[in-house]
Amino acid sequence: MANTEGRNQTSITEFVLLGFRDLPELLALLFLLFRVICIVTLAGNILIVALVVADRRFHTPMYFFLRNLSCLETCYTSTLLPRVLASFLTGDNTISVSGCMTQFYFVSFFAAAECYLLAVMSYDRYSAICKPLHYAALMNTRFCLSLAAGSWINGFLAGIIVIVLMLQLTFSGPNKIDHFCCESTEMLNLCCNGTNQIELVITILAAIFTLPPFVLTVMSHVCIIFTILRIPSTAGRQKAFSTCSSHLIVVAIFCGTLITVYLLPKTNTLERPEQSVLHLLRNSDSYGQSLHIQPD
């Protein structure tokens, strides 16, 4: 029996990303849509980086952090969308376990780094608007480099912690991931050994890398709004609002999505029926007990 279990646990060498399997008639349209999104995102962010580097007028803390954000977005997009486009074009939705783990690591890395970089950018705007006389001293070159490097390093460490735990898991089937990328929740549903530890770590890391940046951003913008309302010039108020509103929208969408997916309680209505049954069988004390549970 032990040998059989060992063979079952190591039998899976690839996953199948189901993605948009329920919309076969829209695959051509989805391919064009994702291709346009990929090209526009990559071209736009690369152009921003090139302009900030080439024009000395943009050698300021705000544009320095914007350049870092554009680099992160370029890396994030390059990690996800090319694989999706390839599956649309070839019809091959399989991905190796090692490839899935690699994709998951880089997505975790860039997402965690972006959360803190967005918080750093909100602090930069707070310093510029609320403390203009001290802005040059506060946001000096060394401090800006430290903040940017800290964001990248924190993301790197978060990704390392999660992927080290994920690599200890074994998968015995089924091998179908109901997503277009290697998402942690879907991967854990396919695991044949205990996932409580990794689920706890992912929840803690999600809280650490989303809630503090989100709270800091909200507090910074509250202070900014009160400061803007005291500006006598209408043109000055509009310029300050336009500078901060777009950043606040990005933070709300990005961090809000992560909080919704990883921090809010999971409900059975969000699970597919076969996943709910599989999860029940794996976590019950015995198959006999779970067979007596009546569905809602």
Side-chain angles (χ1 to χ4, degrees):
M1 177 65 73
N3 294 335
T4 302
E5 289 180 357
R7 287 194 299 269
N8 289 339
Q9 290 178 356
T10 58
S11 59
I12 289 182
T13 59
E14 62 183 18
F15 294 116
V16 178
L17 300 176
L18 299 180
F20 301 95
R21 74 192 190 286
D22 296 330
L23 304 171
E25 67 280 1
L26 297 179
L27 288 183
L29 179 61
L30 289 172
F31 172 77
L32 293 176
L33 177 62
F34 275 76
R35 185 178 180 181
V36 170
I37 293 174
C38 183
I39 293 174
V40 171
T41 302
L42 292 177
N45 284 292
I46 292 173
L47 180 61
I48 290 174
V49 173
L51 287 175
V52 172
V53 172
D55 196 331
R56 295 187 60 86
R57 292 176 300 175
F58 297 137
H59 292 183
T60 62
M62 182 179 73
Y63 288 104
F64 169 74
F65 295 128
L66 182 61
R67 183 177 65 187
N68 277 268
L69 182 63
S70 295
C71 289
L72 269 175
E73 289 292 339
T74 301
C75 295
Y76 202 99
T77 303
S78 302
T79 301
L80 290 177
L81 289 186
R83 178 65 186 78
V84 177
L85 292 175
S87 66
F88 284 151
L89 195 60
T90 64
D92 182 11
N93 295 323
T94 61
I95 183 172
S96 64
V97 173
S98 59
C100 200
M101 291 294 183
T102 302
Q103 184 190 77
F104 173 71
Y105 165 73
F106 281 108
V107 169
S108 302
F109 172 14
F110 297 136
E114 185 166 341
C115 283
Y116 268 88
L117 186 60
L118 289 171
V120 167
M121 295 176 70
S122 68
Y123 176 74
D124 172 70
R125 291 299 82 207
Y126 163 78
S127 300
I129 296 175
C130 299
K131 299 182 179 181
L133 299 180
H134 301 88
Y135 179 68
L138 288 173
M139 305 302 294
N140 56 69
T141 302
R142 183 176 180 179
F143 187 56
C144 290
L145 289 173
S146 299
L147 291 175
S151 299
W152 286 88
I153 293 173
N154 284 336
F156 173 78
L157 294 177
I160 286 291
I161 293 172
V162 175
I163 201 63
V164 166
L165 293 175
M166 292 288 287
L167 289 174
Q168 299 176 10
L169 303 178
T170 52
F171 303 92
S172 62
N175 66 338
K176 294 179 174 60
I177 297 178
D178 193 13
H179 212 286
F180 61 84
C181 66
C182 297
E183 201 273 328
S184 61
T185 304
E186 294 290 334
M187 293 172 65
L188 291 176
N189 286 336
L190 306 180
C191 184
C192 63
N193 51 357
T195 61
N196 290 336
Q197 183 181 13
I198 182 65
E199 288 177 350
L200 178 61
V201 171
I202 290 176
T203 301
I204 293 174
L205 289 176
I208 292 174
F209 281 89
T210 56
L211 294 180
F214 184 75
V215 172
L216 177 61
T217 300
V218 171
M219 292 176 61
S220 298
H221 281 79
V222 169
C223 296
I224 289 172
I225 290 173
F226 280 112
T227 302
I228 290 175
L229 293 177
R230 293 198 295 266
I231 297 177
S233 170
T234 303
R237 288 198 299 268
Q238 291 178 348
K239 182 179 179 180
F241 271 123
S242 63
T243 302
C244 300
S245 58
S246 57
H247 176 73
L248 186 60
I249 292 173
V250 170
V251 172
I253 294 175
F254 188 76
C255 292
T257 301
L258 294 178
I259 291 172
T260 301
V261 173
Y262 295 106
L263 294 184
L264 292 184
K266 305 295 186 300
T267 60
N268 293 331
T269 57
L270 298 177
E271 297 179 350
R272 290 181 298 150
E274 60 269 26
Q275 287 182 339
S276 301
V277 174
L278 182 62
H279 182 76
L280 177 62
L281 292 177
R282 284 176 177 166
N283 290 280
S284 61
D285 294 333
S286 65
Y287 285 101
Q289 290 179 351
S290 39
L291 291 174
H292 288 85
I293 297 178
Q294 298 297 326
D296 294 336

